[in-house]
Amino acid sequence: MRVIIRDDYEEISRAAARDVARLLNSKPNAVLGLATGSTPLGIYRELVRMHRDEGLDFSKVTTFNLDEYVGLTPSNPQSYHYFMHEHLFQHINIARQNIHIPSGTTDNYDAFCVWYEQRIVDCGGIDLQVLGIGSDGHIAFNEPSSSLGSRTRLKTLAKQTIQDNARFFSRPEDVPIYAVTMGVGTILEARSILLVASGSGKAAAVAGAIEGPVTSMNTASSLQLHRDVTCYLDRGAASELKMVDYYDWIDEKESSAPPTVPRPHLLKSPTGVRQSN
Ligand code: PGA
């Protein structure tokens, strides 16, 4: 894992958006995995700005969102369909038919989830997945105790998540209890992953994810098994990590390395087998 710590939310958002833009510039038909919630808002703002001011092109991009609440129609302002159109899609030149968001209103969830998984495969797999992290360590809606091999499915939300999400709803009883979510196994198949976290409310979950054991009790810890994960954290989110000095040191050494030096995980070992990080 690469752990990149910056002073504030705007900085980590810009850095993560730059990674997305770099991918789109080298692969215009990239497949992006997208997240909702407060955390990715800064990334989306920056991508919209890059599209407007620098011509960042989304015309060939395909997207898959992580999750959607069960029972909310796309026109419901609290739905993730609505969120994505409001904060990203309506501001960029993405083709509507290339947007995929799990349905929260299908009458056959099992069939829908099978279709969603197959659609990801048919589109060539996800090149880059953007992730937030819940205060209980969840990625997408893979709550503690979710199988680390799980696929897209219907999930009952944890009480902590329902409580965290209540701020977006006018009445507590309106907060959905179920969601359709990509599984941990689905997420781990993305070729690269950006995890973004901001604020001390995420510090314990982030520490568990990066420095704790791999456990289904913090599904973000499964990212330790992936070979290309970058975590962008502000100082608050990084405040319970034990190895901050080391992460800062690596960051400093890598950013001052000449551009021809490849990232460590792409270096070949003496046997010719790629080393993983
Ligand atoms: P947040 O949610 O970005 O709104 O904090 C993150 C998550 O629950 O995955």
Side-chain angles (χ1 to χ4, degrees):
M1 279 190 180
R2 297 177 79 214
V3 180
I4 303 199
I5 304 165
R6 295 284 180 269
D7 286 337
D8 62 50
Y9 174 72
E10 291 306 325
E11 274 186 86
I12 56 174
S13 300
R14 277 196 301 272
R18 269 198 300 275
D19 285 357
V20 177
R22 205 172 298 126
L23 171 67
L24 300 194
N25 287 329
S26 66
K27 186 176 181 185
N29 63 345
V31 179
L32 299 179
L34 298 178
T36 49
S38 318
T39 311
L41 282 173
I43 301 178
Y44 298 154
R45 265 198 300 273
E46 182 62 7
L47 290 176
V48 169
R49 189 202 64 73
M50 286 175 173
H51 170 68
R52 193 187 54 228
D53 299 345
E54 297 164 14
L56 183 64
D57 183 24
F58 292 82
S59 62
K60 298 190 180 66
V61 168
T62 297
T63 62
F64 286 89
N65 264 79
L66 289 168
D67 43 20
E68 177 59 287
Y69 290 120
V70 165
L72 303 193
T73 60
S75 60
N76 185 316
Q78 303 310 332
S79 75
Y80 288 165
H81 279 76
Y82 192 96
F83 176 102
M84 290 307 300
H85 284 88
E86 189 70 8
H87 296 292
L88 184 64
F89 296 147
Q90 67 168 325
H91 306 289
I92 59 175
N93 64 333
I94 189 164
R96 293 297 175 250
Q97 68 272 18
N98 292 350
I99 295 171
H100 303 84
I101 304 175
S103 170
T105 53
T106 174
D107 50 18
N108 187 337
Y109 284 98
D110 287 347
F112 178 83
C113 293
V114 169
W115 175 83
Y116 202 71
E117 288 275 333
Q118 188 57 45
R119 187 76 191 134
I120 294 173
V121 172
D122 292 346
C123 290
I126 292 171
D127 290 300
L128 186 153
Q129 176 68 58
V130 175
L131 292 178
I133 181 172
S135 61
D136 61 4
H138 70 216
I139 46 175
F141 275 132
N142 294 289
E143 301 288 26
S145 82
S146 289
S147 159
L148 301 187
S150 52
R151 314 300 309 188
T152 303
R153 67 208 184 290
L154 202 59
K155 189 77 194 159
T156 306
L157 304 183
K159 286 184 185 159
Q160 177 69 55
T161 302
I162 294 170
Q163 201 178 310
D164 288 351
N165 291 342
R167 68 190 193 276
F168 299 114
F169 293 83
S170 40
R171 297 179 315 168
E173 56 271 33
D174 292 340
V175 189
I177 292 170
Y178 306 100
V180 178
T181 180
M182 275 190 208
V184 178
T186 322
I187 292 169
L188 290 178
E189 282 173 10
R191 290 182 190 92
S192 61
I193 295 177
L194 299 183
L195 179 114
V196 186
S198 163
S200 55
K202 301 292 176 67
V206 164
I210 296 175
E211 296 178 344
V214 174
T215 167
S216 65
M217 294 310 288
N218 175 329
T219 53
S221 68
S222 66
L223 301 175
Q224 294 174 31
L225 300 170
H226 193 283
R227 60 180 301 156
D228 191 353
V229 176
T230 304
C231 300
Y232 285 108
L233 312 174
D234 66 10
R235 292 280 160 199
S239 58
E240 290 190 31
L241 289 171
K242 293 193 176 66
M243 309 239 311
V244 168
D245 286 351
Y246 180 56
Y247 307 135
D248 283 347
W249 160 259
I250 295 173
D251 189 18
E252 185 194 316
K253 293 300 152 206
E254 287 199 2
S255 49
S256 59
T260 49
V261 174
R263 280 177 38 195
H265 73 287
L266 296 177
L267 289 175
K268 294 209 167 189
S269 74
T271 57
V273 176
R274 280 184 166 186
Q275 293 179 14
S276 54
N277 60 346

